[in-house]
Amino acid sequence: MGSDCLFCRIVAGEIPATVVRETDTTLAFRDIDPKAPVHILVIPKEHYADIATLAQGDPALAADVLATSAAVAEDEGLLGDGFRLMFNTGAYGGQEVFHVHAHLLGGAPLGPMLARDLA
Ligand code: AMP
Ligand code: ZN
């Protein structure tokens, strides 16, 4: 991937981001358009399009994304009141950036899981 991918460019330092945690394999940075008091994106540095591709292609790296998400949740003081960790995937999931990212949301009650009841 690389130059065509927004989040690969953030990993490469070509586009600025407010990084809150970095490991050998992952990066966590603040969402540019936050939907909650805390809204952080956690990504693998290596390019995978979505969580299904990542989990099937490199389960250990998927685990790294979860571990970094938990560490950031702790850093941000979210463990007591709770938080939401979300992977939008594909068209129905509303995914816009096709480099897998966990949305870590918290800092206030987040309301129902979905805006509408689709069942
Ligand atoms: P999704 O719809 O799940 O693909 O989410 C993409 C997210 O990336 C949105 O919440 C955007 O606000 C966020 N985003 C887009 N560009 C940037 C950027 N340059 N830095 C940080 N977050 C971004
Ligand atoms: Zn990428």
Side-chain angles (χ1 to χ4, degrees):
M1 236 357 200
S3 61
D4 287 345
C5 171
L6 176 64
F7 289 173
C8 281
R9 296 189 69 190
I10 287 177
V11 170
E14 295 168 8
I15 292 176
T18 305
V19 172
V20 298
R21 180 173 281 261
E22 180 170 10
T23 70
D24 287 349
T25 58
T26 66
L27 193 68
F29 52 94
R30 296 198 188 278
D31 195 291
I32 203 168
D33 181 19
K35 305 293 193 295
V38 176
H39 187 175
I40 290 165
L41 303 178
V42 185
I43 67 171
K45 289 181 174 175
E46 191 178 339
H47 183 91
Y48 285 88
D50 58 38
I51 187 57
T53 312
L54 171 62
Q56 292 174 347
D58 191 341
L61 183 56
D64 288 351
V65 171
L66 295 182
T68 295
S69 300
V72 173
E74 182 169 30
D75 289 347
E76 297 287 323
L78 303 181
L79 295 189
D81 289 328
F83 58 91
R84 191 169 289 163
L85 193 65
M86 202 171 71
F87 292 91
N88 294 330
T89 304
Y92 277 16
Q95 186 176 4
E96 293 178 351
V97 177
F98 286 85
H99 181 132
V100 59
H101 49 283
H103 291 264
L104 174 64
L105 297 153
L110 296 168
M113 188 165 64
L114 296 175
R116 290 181 290 135
D117 189 346
L118 303 174

